[in-house]
Amino acid sequence: MTDSIEPSTSTSDPNSNSTPTPTILLHPRREPFEHGLLPIQKLIFTDPVQALTQLKEKLSSSLALRVGSAALADALQISSDHARLILDTLSSVLHSESDPLVTARPEDVDSIGADLRDLVLFLYIQSYKRLLPRSHKDSAAVADVWPSTSAFDGYLSALSPLQLVRSNTRRFMPSLADEEAHQLSYLQKHLANILSLLSEPVEGEGEESMILTMKGFEHLGFLIHFGDKGSEGVPLSQAAPFFANSDPDMPAVPVLASQVHDWLLEIIAASLEHVSEKNSAKESGSPSSSDQDIAMSDASPGSAKASQSASSSFFIEGVSKSSYVKQASDLKNSSVKVINCHDSVIYVLAPLRYATIYGCSDATIVLGAVGKAVRVEHCERVHVILASKRVCIVNCRECIFFLGVNQRPLIVGDNHKLQVAPYNTFYSQLGEHMTEVGIDATINRWHEPLALGVIDPHDSLSHPAGVADAQTESAACLDPDQFTNFLIPNWFEGEPIKSTRNNPFPLPDLYFTSQQRNKKNLGEIQQILREAPLEENRKRELSCALHIYFKDWLYASGNIRQLYCLLGD
């Protein structure tokens, strides 16, 4: 092992006596752990190293070292749908934007395939167990915004123990620091296995027979990065003393896997200590002014809370009985998390990489254009409107999803009475944002949900026996007669001439016909009312009755929430 274990951005000799540069902290890449885990039992290996080593040997016959869905389905003995799901999911969490799989058109994904090394790492982390959710600090506040009655409350006696537990407890996301520590600990424990899957054998015996090339080392970028700016931070090979001085015009000399292992273990240990110190500082009431990973309190009615983390995640948390708007000028290539918002309307009208909606109820949430993936989890009676490459829906009930998605919606966990519908809105910059993040408006697979298991093997909670292979309840298509357009208020001044003025996703015939019929009926009713020979007092009575019925419809349909923004303006 080299004498210096501190990664340096300089190209000086790591063994020299010059003053070392400050240690660069190692961080786990959050995306594979947040958006890359699939509840497919066949991907959970009893001995992942042995299974994936055999898989690697079987699939490495290709000179290009890329794996298509047909070869993957055959090697893992899974369905073609599940093999394609693996490739689509992997493409959404890859660390390299230049990888052909990331930029592939949907019809080319199977033929382009995944890099074998990335695929093996993706399959290995399917053994990861998520951190247990933490209790909320103010259970009374939660009880106030989570209504106690639901269409399902009369059936609790018939639910499984898992469903009964979930129906009576509210789960909350762990803090970023807690999750980072958990993921670092996972990497620390499994580092030797991970490196062995990226290494190549040479003549010799024992651990000395495994070497790691610089290219193999760079694939660790799927799981880790140095510095706080993710992919924009320090390149992996430049942070490592054994590759930093390599001649760019010459192949780098391979390194013993054991040497890389020892060096990374020390960096992970230092990073874990740093996270622990940050948590201790917060608990003692003296957080750093630059530390933006601070748990936010619930927003009071009529207010909105938001924060930006160092990893470019923008948090919207605790908005209650209010409305909230964020536009592209507020978010720079961010990921967004909408957490514990209730009885509100949330607009995030911007191009995004990732989005998470967690623990929300009785709300309407509009996401602009999400280029990678959206995860919606533990929500009740929420209307979600989104344009995205892909969406995963987990443990939700009585929600309606208005989708413009290029991949099949994934439905996982304990879901009830979900409905899906085609995308139903637009704003002036939507087309520009979709182009920026790579969403194709000619492809919308909203009506092809793919339902997986009720039990997520990555969940650390214990589950009842005998339900591991049960399939979750899928989503029904919204009745076309119930389909309505959602109008976004115009906040954009000085719109360009080529701005978006209509829904960019073509409506299916049934929904388009229903929409036109409703529009025609409305026009006929308006004409009848205008021409009705009524006295003034009768007109007033009719107007009053129409207002009452309209108000009742607003509340019954949930569309009353759309007025909050207008009232706020």
Side-chain angles (χ1 to χ4, degrees):
M1 183 175 175
T2 52
D3 296 337
S4 172
I5 61 166
E6 294 186 346
S8 170
T9 56
S10 70
T11 57
S12 60
D13 184 352
N15 295 316
S16 68
N17 295 323
S18 59
T19 303
T21 55
T23 299
I24 299 174
L25 295 175
L26 179 152
H27 299 277
R29 279 190 72 238
R30 306 180 63 84
E31 293 84 3
F33 298 104
E34 292 184 0
H35 297 278
L37 302 180
L38 295 172
I40 299 176
Q41 289 296 330
K42 283 195 173 183
L43 303 187
I44 312 299
F45 304 106
T46 305
D47 186 343
V49 174
Q50 180 181 0
L52 292 175
T53 298
Q54 293 174 353
L55 180 74
K56 181 180 172 183
E57 292 173 354
K58 183 176 182 179
L59 295 174
S60 61
S61 57
S62 169
L63 294 177
L65 289 178
R66 299 195 72 89
V67 183
S69 60
L72 183 60
D74 178 66
L76 292 176
Q77 292 298 293
I78 57 177
S79 68
S80 58
D81 281 346
H82 285 181
R84 177 57 186 262
L85 174 62
I86 290 172
L87 294 186
D88 285 340
T89 305
L90 175 58
S91 71
S92 71
V93 296
L94 276 176
H95 56 301
S96 173
E97 292 296 319
S98 61
D99 189 283
L101 186 62
V102 175
T103 55
R105 295 183 302 176
E107 62 269 25
D108 297 330
V109 167
D110 291 328
S111 58
I112 289 176
D115 186 289
L116 179 57
R117 289 158 294 194
D118 293 329
L119 177 63
V120 167
L121 293 183
F122 175 84
L123 293 174
Y124 186 88
I125 65 167
Q126 300 304 314
S127 65
Y128 177 76
K129 294 281 188 180
R130 293 190 184 93
L131 185 61
L132 279 171
R134 56 186 168 88
S135 301
H136 197 273
K137 61 184 178 303
D138 188 353
S139 57
V142 174
D144 178 58
V145 295
W146 282 90
S148 59
T149 58
S150 164
F152 291 93
D153 288 346
Y155 302 93
L156 287 181
S157 60
L159 297 181
S160 69
L162 170 64
Q163 293 168 323
L164 187 61
V165 167
R166 193 186 63 78
S167 299
N168 288 284
T169 60
R170 301 304 177 193
R171 302 170 61 192
F172 293 87
M173 298 178 73
S175 70
L176 284 178
D178 289 341
E179 284 191 333
E180 180 168 7
H182 186 65
Q183 290 161 9
L184 281 171
S185 296
Y186 172 84
L187 293 174
Q188 185 181 50
K189 178 180 178 181
H190 293 270
L191 183 61
N193 291 344
I194 291 169
L195 290 177
S196 72
L197 293 171
L198 292 176
S199 300
E200 300 174 6
V202 291
E203 291 184 4
E205 297 182 359
E207 63 177 15
E208 300 301 316
S209 65
M210 301 298 290
I211 60 170
L212 194 64
T213 65
M214 188 169 78
K215 185 170 287 188
F217 181 78
E218 288 287 356
H219 281 274
L220 280 174
F222 179 72
L223 296 174
I224 62 174
H225 65 84
F226 292 107
D228 288 330
K229 295 183 180 180
S231 59
E232 299 176 2
V234 182
L236 287 189
S237 59
Q238 293 304 305
F242 26 79
F243 291 127
N245 297 321
S246 299
D247 185 339
D249 297 324
M250 296 287 291
V253 177
V255 181
L256 289 175
S258 58
Q259 180 179 346
V260 179
H261 175 264
D262 293 343
W263 178 76
L264 280 176
L265 274 186
E266 296 204 31
I267 301 300
I268 292 175
S271 301
L272 273 169
E273 185 177 353
H274 176 76
V275 174
S276 177
E277 289 173 354
K278 281 175 58 178
N279 278 335
S280 298
K282 291 177 191 177
E283 291 171 2
S284 65
S286 57
S288 166
S289 60
S290 63
D291 182 13
Q292 294 171 316
D293 178 22
I294 300 174
M296 291 168 43
S297 59
D298 288 340
S300 59
S303 68
K305 298 286 187 179
S307 67
Q308 183 97 20
S309 78
S311 58
S312 295
S313 289
F314 192 92
F315 287 75
I316 301 169
E317 183 169 8
V319 180
S320 179
K321 298 180 175 65
S322 184
S323 59
Y324 185 86
V325 182
K326 277 293 175 185
Q327 300 179 23
S329 57
D330 305 311
L331 304 169
K332 303 298 182 184
N333 197 31
S334 291
S335 298
V336 166
K337 295 190 177 184
V338 182
I339 307 170
N340 300 334
C341 294
H342 313 282
D343 201 21
S344 300
V345 182
I346 311 293
Y347 299 87
V348 187
L349 309 181
L352 305 168
R353 289 173 55 77
Y354 299 91
T356 299
I357 301 172
Y358 189 100
C360 298
S361 68
D362 300 285
T364 296
I365 300 171
V366 185
L367 299 178
V370 186
K372 296 294 186 179
V374 178
R375 183 178 178 90
V376 185
E377 187 170 4
H378 290 290
C379 291
E380 296 187 10
R381 296 175 297 281
V382 171
H383 289 188
V384 179
I385 304 172
L386 62 89
S388 177
K389 285 278 187 69
R390 68 191 310 268
V391 61
C392 179
I393 301 164
V394 187
N395 298 330
C396 294
R397 64 183 188 180
E398 302 174 68
C399 295
I400 304 178
F401 299 88
F402 298 88
L403 303 174
V405 288
N406 293 165
Q407 299 175 13
R408 297 179 66 180
L410 184 61
I411 300 180
V412 177
D414 179 23
N415 299 283
H416 297 283
K417 291 193 174 180
L418 303 183
Q419 296 181 82
V420 290
Y423 193 74
N424 68 338
T425 193
F426 69 93
Y427 59 95
S428 62
Q429 297 177 338
L430 177 60
E432 176 186 340
H433 293 167
M434 288 173 57
T435 300
E436 183 176 337
V437 300
I439 298 173
D440 187 347
T442 66
I443 301 172
N444 192 358
R445 306 188 71 181
W446 67 272
H447 59 298
E448 304 175 50
L450 177 60
L452 294 184
V454 169
I455 300 303
D456 187 345
H458 311 105
D459 195 332
S460 298
L461 295 173
S462 59
H463 302 298
V467 296
D469 296 325
Q471 183 171 305
T472 188
E473 179 182 316
S474 190
C477 291
L478 182 72
D479 186 333
D481 289 336
Q482 302 298 317
F483 179 81
T484 58
N485 286 330
F486 184 89
L487 180 62
I488 297 177
N490 182 15
W491 292 292
F492 304 93
E493 298 295 336
E495 296 177 10
I497 296 175
K498 295 183 179 180
S499 62
T500 305
R501 301 189 183 279
N502 293 288
N503 182 350
F505 293 93
L507 284 179
D509 290 342
L510 285 176
Y511 291 86
F512 180 77
T513 301
S514 176
Q515 185 184 66
Q516 295 301 107
R517 183 172 60 248
N518 292 338
K519 185 177 181 180
K520 179 182 178 182
N521 291 341
L522 176 61
E524 291 176 350
I525 292 173
Q526 289 174 331
Q527 185 69 19
I528 291 172
L529 292 176
R530 279 195 297 267
E531 298 175 355
L534 299 175
E535 298 175 359
E536 284 301 318
N537 62 330
R538 291 294 186 184
K539 287 184 178 180
R540 285 194 296 270
E541 290 177 3
L542 177 60
S543 178
C544 182
L546 288 174
H547 276 93
I548 290 173
Y549 282 117
F550 180 59
K551 182 179 178 181
D552 289 343
W553 174 82
L554 283 174
Y555 279 101
S557 65
N559 287 303
I560 187 65
R561 296 191 292 271
Q562 295 188 38
L563 299 182
Y564 291 156
C565 277
L566 298 177
L567 291 174
D569 293 340

